[in-house]
Amino acid sequence: MYFINVILPLALPRLYTYQVDDKEVALLKPGMRVAVEFGKRKIYTALVHQIHQNPPLNYEAKPIHQIIDEQALVNEMQLKHWEWMADYYMCSLGEVYKSAVPSSLLLESETVLIKNENFIDENNLSSDEFLIIEALENHQQLPIDQLSSIVDGKKSLSLIRQLIEKNAIRLKEEINEIYQPKLEKYIKLHSHWESPDKIADIFNEVKRAAKQRDALMTYFSIKSTTQNPIKFKTLTESALCSAAVINALVEKELLEIFYIQVDRVRFDNEIEKAKILSQKQIVAFDQINNQFNDKSVVLLKGVTGSGKTEIYVKLIQEQLDQHKQVLYLLPEIALTTQIIQRLKKYFGNKIAVYHSKYSLNERVEVWNNVLNSKESAQLVVGVRSSGFLPFQNLGLIIVDEEHEPSYKQVEPSPRYHARDTSIVLAMIHNAKVLLGSATPSLESFYNSLEDKYGFVTLENRFGDVQMPEIELVDIKEIHRKKRMNGHFSERLIQLIKEALHQKEQVILFQNRRGYAPVLACKTCGVTPQCIQCDVSLTYHKFAKELKCHYCGYTQKVTNSCVACGSDEVVFLGFGTEQIENEIQALFPEANVARMDYDTTKGKHSYERILEQFQQQEIDILVGTQMLSKGLDFNKVSLVGVLNADSLLNFPDFRAHERSYQLLVQVAGRAGRTKRGKVIIQTYNPTHEIIEQVAAHDYLKMAETQLKERQQFQYPPFYKTINITLKHKNKITLDEGTVWLSKALKNTFGNQVLGPTTPVISKIRNKYIKEMLIKIPFNQSLQKTKIAVNQLKISFLSIAAFRSIQLIIDVDSY
């Protein structure tokens, strides 16, 4: 007897074993998908992890339902990577599997209703039950999710139960394949007429149909100039005829239709030569290659505009010449859009793009192309999920803007950091990793100081363009003198006028979307609150609604206070929408656009806005931190930061580091071809971080922050595990938190901080508590995680606490 251990796409603490026969075991390999029954009649797409002959001890192994793949969908190196992720980030292999594989490849199990052919007694049915039986007579079988169109959806489950009890219906589980390959329609000569001496006979068949004869002549004309298959659409366009004419030739068996599977996303193969590197870029390029001889990871610290991307291009080309695959990671889809425009000039159709704005079918095609090492997927460009792809021959991983918090997965599990998992992935493949940033994370910078990573710097902009001049504007004093124009200082307005007069572009940065974060009543002070979260609702003027940015709850705006009925309601604070309105009023002749989450929901919205800005159809672009991440625009001469202080005051030990990074990155959008200007409006121009930004002094910032981190025992000197508890009942949550905090402190003592209530204490109707465990480097991280896991099991074994959601986040961000 043979058995397989499988990974189910569920948060299960262990793998489950199923039985296979001799024929099945000959076909199976680890990494293949099989359909298995788990629970009562529920079928899942599981992944084969191991094939063996050891039956399970505590239960009888079920047979598998079917084998889905002919070849492994996941390779051996991926499985090693997944096992490391599950172990390090304290989650299950099933959660990694579900997160890694496109959901189109996780075939859905759908419950289908079938009428029992032996059932006759329809007089014993209620009116709703009869409607279901009548529908089954017409359709033979019916998915449960379609019942709502026949009967009240709330009654459907009880009706199904009653019909089963009356032996009127049966349930069947079906596996539905979601992925559909894209097929292009082609036309060819029918096999009857392939002999050259039959061409005259073909035209005799259509001598009375002029349009069909013309279409045939066009077909032979195209065929004489190319060896490639002829598209159906190409023939109709060239022959200036309708599809009906070609279909008539097909019905006469003169032509034949066939289909070829194609990729949904393809790039032109018009290759340009890479730019010639400057002397300083050549030095950095050589240093990187030299350090790769001794180090697997190299950190490239290059100021904004120094030409890091051109160095990446040279390194990528080296790998492609050796027929190796390259992964180019980016933190944001917006940045992917512009980088693709640059890379496709050099690498053409060797590029594959992988991120959530692409459809599921497009992502499946990229997965298959990478798995089969196709030329169209030698260079993969994408966001953090790209690290899950089935690379066969990976040579290099580039993590651009490596400092970005976007690389950390927050929800759902696994809560991994793409930079760190990429380094492990490279180790498995014996590949190299290049981390690039103008403002490296303190963790990466510290690793370079400790000689774990190689370190290369580019301190000058390409073409020796000077770094932008940063000017601090004290808006506290300007507000006191009542000389602010809305949210703009006189100095910023003056510089915007000058930039527009010189036909240059302006970027305005405000790291909050919407029109105003708070709508308040001046009479009673009440502000509309989200009914599910402990936050005030943000006013969105364009949509005329109040919206919660945590759960999506919305309500219509009223002209009066909901509490006291007063008409005196005011907006407090400001977001990108308000800035857009104000700047358009100040400069009505300028073309103003906004780039934030609200304006970039569509698949091609990023491309549209960035292309318009690149083509100078937009004069002033208002946006959130999307604008800060590596975007390159030659005509931007001025960047305005509307309120720098909002970045500095978060209750987070990384707040000052992130503020510095964000402000420097935003400032770096100015003056890519000639020296630009940056205006930072702040109430506290003497703040240490603001002054370090103005001086472009990364080393001073890093030195100061590292001393504080060491003093207060935070990363990179300590590891952290954040524990979050959530529950709808506040009393139950408090009781569970007290129990767990005592248990943790008994084990780890003063290393445990909390429990604390976060700033936002309730999200989606669940109250939240948090605890943080600090782990020094002389303490075993693995033993610490084992102890935490044992406490978790003990905690969830208590009936009163079983309903509490317990989230463990290793290396929390």
Side-chain angles (χ1 to χ4, degrees):
M1 292 180 70
Y2 291 94
F3 300 91
I4 56 170
N5 292 344
V6 301
I7 306 170
L8 288 153
L10 301 167
L12 300 169
R14 60 189 175 90
L15 304 182
Y16 281 81
T17 303
Y18 286 80
Q19 184 181 330
V20 290
D21 59 33
D22 294 347
K23 291 180 181 178
E24 289 169 334
V25 81
L27 298 172
L28 284 170
K29 291 179 182 176
M32 281 185 172
R33 293 175 301 162
V34 291
V36 299
E37 186 177 294
F38 187 75
K40 293 184 178 178
R41 294 200 184 94
K42 194 69 176 174
I43 295 175
Y44 290 94
T45 305
L47 198 73
V48 178
H49 183 265
Q50 186 184 3
I51 303 169
H52 57 87
Q53 290 183 287
N54 305 314
L57 297 176
N58 301 320
Y59 57 93
E60 185 178 343
K62 295 179 181 179
I64 63 170
H65 192 274
Q66 69 185 85
I67 299 173
I68 296 169
D69 297 317
E70 293 181 5
Q71 64 169 358
L73 182 79
V74 173
N75 62 43
E76 184 182 346
M77 288 176 284
Q78 273 180 293
L79 286 172
K80 283 182 184 176
H81 193 222
W82 292 7
E83 286 166 0
W84 176 85
M85 286 182 69
D87 177 63
Y88 187 84
Y89 291 104
M90 298 182 69
C91 62
S92 67
L93 261 176
E95 289 171 305
V96 180
Y97 170 41
K98 189 171 184 178
S99 180
V101 177
S103 56
S104 295
L105 296 175
L106 295 172
L107 308 183
E108 288 189 346
S109 172
E110 187 178 65
T111 301
V112 175
L113 306 182
I114 302 172
K115 186 186 175 188
N116 189 342
E117 294 175 0
N118 299 322
F119 180 73
I120 301 172
D121 190 12
E122 294 185 357
N123 297 325
N124 196 26
L125 301 177
S126 67
S127 56
D128 282 341
E129 290 170 350
F130 183 78
L131 287 173
I132 295 172
I133 294 297
E134 190 176 40
L136 285 171
E137 286 176 350
N138 294 326
H139 297 285
Q140 293 186 338
Q141 58 184 36
L142 195 68
I144 282 180
D145 59 8
Q146 291 184 17
L147 284 187
S148 57
S149 62
I150 301 170
V151 296
D152 184 353
K154 295 179 180 177
K155 297 180 181 177
S156 59
L157 291 179
S158 61
L159 288 168
I160 290 168
R161 189 183 69 251
Q162 290 162 16
L163 286 168
I164 290 171
E165 289 172 355
K166 293 176 181 179
N167 204 26
I169 62 170
R170 294 182 291 110
L171 297 185
K172 173 188 172 186
E173 288 292 337
E174 283 197 348
I175 293 286
N176 289 333
E177 176 80 73
I178 302 175
Y179 168 65
Q180 294 293 332
K182 182 180 180 181
L183 301 174
E184 277 193 354
K185 195 175 184 181
Y186 286 79
I187 198 83
K188 66 178 181 179
L189 198 63
H190 198 283
S191 56
H192 299 330
W193 307 97
E194 286 179 349
S195 176
D197 59 353
K198 292 187 176 181
I199 291 178
D201 297 336
I202 296 173
F203 283 99
N204 283 333
E205 296 286 326
V206 291
K207 60 186 178 183
R208 295 183 180 179
K211 288 186 177 179
Q212 293 177 24
R213 185 175 64 249
D214 291 345
L216 268 178
M217 290 180 68
T218 304
Y219 171 82
F220 282 111
S221 175
I222 297 171
K223 192 67 182 171
S224 67
T225 61
T226 179
Q227 296 296 315
N228 297 325
I230 299 171
K231 289 184 182 179
F232 187 98
K233 186 178 180 182
T234 301
L235 182 56
T236 57
E237 290 174 350
S238 300
L240 301 175
C241 67
S242 67
V245 174
I246 310 301
N247 287 330
L249 291 168
V250 172
E251 287 177 13
K252 291 180 178 180
E253 295 191 345
L254 300 177
L255 295 180
E256 192 176 348
I257 290 171
F258 66 103
Y259 295 89
I260 296 177
Q261 184 176 333
V262 296
D263 291 345
R264 286 174 166 79
V265 181
R266 290 174 287 177
F267 296 103
D268 296 332
N269 202 23
E270 297 177 6
I271 306 296
E272 293 181 10
K273 286 187 177 180
K275 291 179 182 177
I276 297 172
L277 299 184
S278 70
Q279 193 58 42
K280 286 168 183 168
Q281 286 176 316
I282 291 170
V283 170
F285 174 76
D286 290 339
Q287 286 177 342
I288 291 167
N289 272 328
N290 289 336
Q291 294 199 30
F292 274 151
N293 292 328
D294 302 319
K295 301 277 195 309
S296 296
V297 184
V298 174
L299 173 62
L300 172 61
K301 180 190 176 296
V303 297
T304 54
S306 60
K308 294 188 292 294
T309 305
E310 299 307 323
I311 293 175
Y312 299 160
V313 168
K314 291 285 187 185
L315 291 165
I316 291 167
Q317 189 62 60
E318 283 188 342
Q319 297 298 319
L320 299 189
D321 290 344
Q322 297 173 45
H323 305 290
K324 291 191 174 183
Q325 295 170 311
V326 178
L327 173 59
Y328 191 141
L329 281 177
L330 294 158
E332 285 278 358
I333 296 169
L335 188 52
T336 307
T337 300
Q338 196 181 48
I339 289 293
I340 285 297
Q341 297 302 317
R342 296 173 68 179
L343 293 180
K344 73 179 184 181
K345 294 177 184 176
Y346 308 130
F347 304 110
N349 58 14
K350 293 181 180 179
I351 302 174
V353 183
Y354 194 82
H355 58 62
S356 60
K357 288 288 181 182
Y358 275 42
S359 70
L360 285 171
N361 283 333
E362 288 166 345
R363 278 180 273 165
V364 170
E365 282 168 5
V366 173
W367 182 286
N368 289 334
N369 290 344
V370 173
L371 179 65
N372 297 311
S373 297
K374 286 191 177 179
E375 188 181 21
S376 58
Q378 276 188 276
L379 169 58
V380 177
V381 182
V383 294
R384 60 177 180 252
S385 57
S386 308
F388 288 119
L389 287 167
F391 294 100
Q392 303 288 329
N393 188 23
L394 189 62
L396 174 68
I397 300 176
I398 296 169
V399 185
D400 199 11
E401 309 295 346
E402 66 84 28
H403 64 277
E404 278 291 337
S406 311
Y407 281 124
K408 174 70 175 180
Q409 167 91 352
V410 179
E411 287 291 344
S413 186
R415 295 170 180 85
Y416 66 98
H417 197 293
R419 178 194 63 218
D420 302 336
T421 55
S422 295
I423 292 169
V424 175
L425 179 65
M427 288 172 60
I428 293 170
H429 283 265
N430 198 25
K432 303 297 183 184
V433 180
L434 180 65
L435 309 177
S437 177
T439 54
S441 63
L442 291 181
E443 286 85 350
S444 295
F445 184 64
Y446 179 74
N447 280 332
S448 71
L449 294 178
E450 294 288 295
D451 205 34
K452 291 180 181 177
Y453 297 170
F455 186 61
V456 178
T457 60
L458 267 174
E459 296 300 336
N460 298 92
R461 284 188 152 187
F462 186 78
D464 290 324
V465 177
Q466 287 183 289
M467 294 297 291
E469 179 189 350
I470 298 178
E471 186 178 323
L472 305 180
V473 176
D474 187 353
I475 54 176
K476 177 180 69 203
E477 186 66 17
I478 300 173
H479 268 295
R480 189 181 66 79
K481 293 178 179 178
K482 297 183 178 178
R483 288 167 57 187
M484 288 287 287
N485 193 335
H487 295 95
F488 299 90
S489 61
E490 290 177 335
R491 179 61 175 155
L492 182 53
I493 291 172
Q494 176 196 343
L495 290 172
I496 293 173
K497 283 180 182 176
E498 291 176 7
L500 295 177
H501 180 71
Q502 294 170 15
K503 306 295 183 184
E504 293 171 336
Q505 292 171 296
V506 179
I507 285 177
L508 297 176
F509 171 75
Q510 169 61 12
N511 202 28
R512 187 183 288 273
R513 63 188 173 101
Y515 188 86
V518 178
L519 184 68
C521 174
K522 289 177 72 174
T523 306
C524 67
V526 167
T527 62
Q529 299 286 309
C530 176
I531 59 172
Q532 299 180 128
C533 309
D534 183 26
V535 291
S536 58
L537 296 172
T538 300
Y539 174 50
H540 288 253
K541 187 176 183 180
F542 179 78
K544 297 180 181 177
E545 65 184 14
L546 295 168
K547 187 171 185 176
C548 174
H549 289 173
Y550 288 86
C551 69
Y553 167 78
T554 60
Q555 68 179 48
K556 289 295 180 184
V557 180
T558 57
N559 296 323
S560 57
C561 174
V562 293
C564 69
S566 170
D567 293 334
E568 294 189 43
V569 289
V570 293
F571 302 114
L572 304 177
F574 62 99
T576 49
E577 194 178 358
Q578 190 172 158
I579 295 301
E580 181 189 24
N581 288 2
E582 285 186 7
I583 202 69
Q584 190 69 80
L586 288 168
F587 299 96
E589 74 286 354
N591 292 320
V592 180
R594 174 164 48 96
M595 187 175 175
D596 56 22
Y597 178 80
D598 299 315
T599 62
T600 56
K601 289 179 180 176
K603 179 176 180 179
H604 300 293
S605 50
Y606 289 107
E607 289 97 321
R608 188 184 67 251
I609 294 171
L610 293 176
E611 186 177 344
Q612 288 174 344
F613 198 58
Q614 188 78 51
Q615 300 296 327
Q616 295 180 259
E617 296 171 19
I618 298 169
D619 300 311
I620 303 173
L621 184 59
V622 180
T624 56
Q625 62 181 354
M626 284 181 184
L627 294 173
S628 71
K629 298 173 183 178
L631 298 174
D632 189 356
F633 302 108
N634 292 332
K635 283 289 184 177
V636 175
S637 63
L638 175 67
V639 168
V641 178
L642 279 302
N643 184 9
D645 307 285
S646 62
L647 306 171
L648 294 164
N649 299 320
F650 282 98
D652 178 11
F653 70 90
R654 287 191 173 94
H656 285 181
E657 177 196 1
R658 286 184 179 165
S659 298
Y660 178 90
Q661 289 166 340
L662 194 51
L663 290 172
V664 168
Q665 292 286 343
V666 170
R669 302 314 109 210
R672 308 290 280 212
T673 53
K674 67 174 187 178
R675 193 178 195 195
K677 187 95 174 177
V678 180
I679 296 293
I680 298 179
Q681 295 185 165
T682 172
Y683 286 94
N684 189 6
T686 59
H687 192 287
E688 182 180 43
I689 289 293
I690 301 289
E691 289 181 337
Q692 288 164 355
V693 170
H696 300 283
D697 196 347
Y698 172 84
L699 293 178
K700 184 66 176 174
M701 183 279 296
E703 181 187 350
T704 304
Q705 293 302 311
L706 284 172
K707 282 180 180 176
E708 288 186 7
R709 300 275 185 92
Q710 189 168 25
Q711 180 183 352
F712 294 106
Q713 300 178 346
Y714 281 105
F717 302 97
Y718 277 62
K719 287 281 190 179
T720 59
I721 297 177
N722 193 70
I723 298 176
T724 304
L725 298 95
K726 297 181 179 181
H727 199 270
K728 290 186 176 182
N729 187 303
K730 192 173 185 300
I731 296 170
T732 302
L733 179 67
D734 289 341
E735 290 172 352
T737 303
V738 169
W739 188 98
L740 186 59
S741 67
K742 283 182 179 177
L744 286 169
K745 286 175 180 176
N746 286 338
T747 305
F748 300 110
N750 294 332
Q751 292 174 230
V752 180
L753 297 185
T756 60
T757 302
V759 176
I760 300 168
S761 61
K762 186 176 77 167
I763 296 177
R764 292 185 175 90
N765 281 327
K766 287 188 176 181
Y767 295 93
I768 305 169
K769 292 285 186 180
E770 291 182 342
M771 286 171 275
L772 184 72
I773 306 172
K774 294 180 180 179
I775 307 159
F777 274 99
N778 60 6
Q779 178 178 318
S780 168
L781 179 62
Q782 187 63 28
K783 289 180 180 177
T784 302
K785 289 191 288 190
I786 291 169
V788 170
N789 215 28
Q790 288 172 344
L791 289 173
K792 175 185 175 181
I793 294 168
S794 300
F795 177 78
L796 295 176
S797 67
I798 301 171
F801 304 150
R802 206 166 291 150
S803 57
I804 295 175
Q805 185 182 357
L806 185 63
I807 297 168
I808 299 174
D809 187 1
V810 180
D811 294 344
S812 52
Y813 248 62

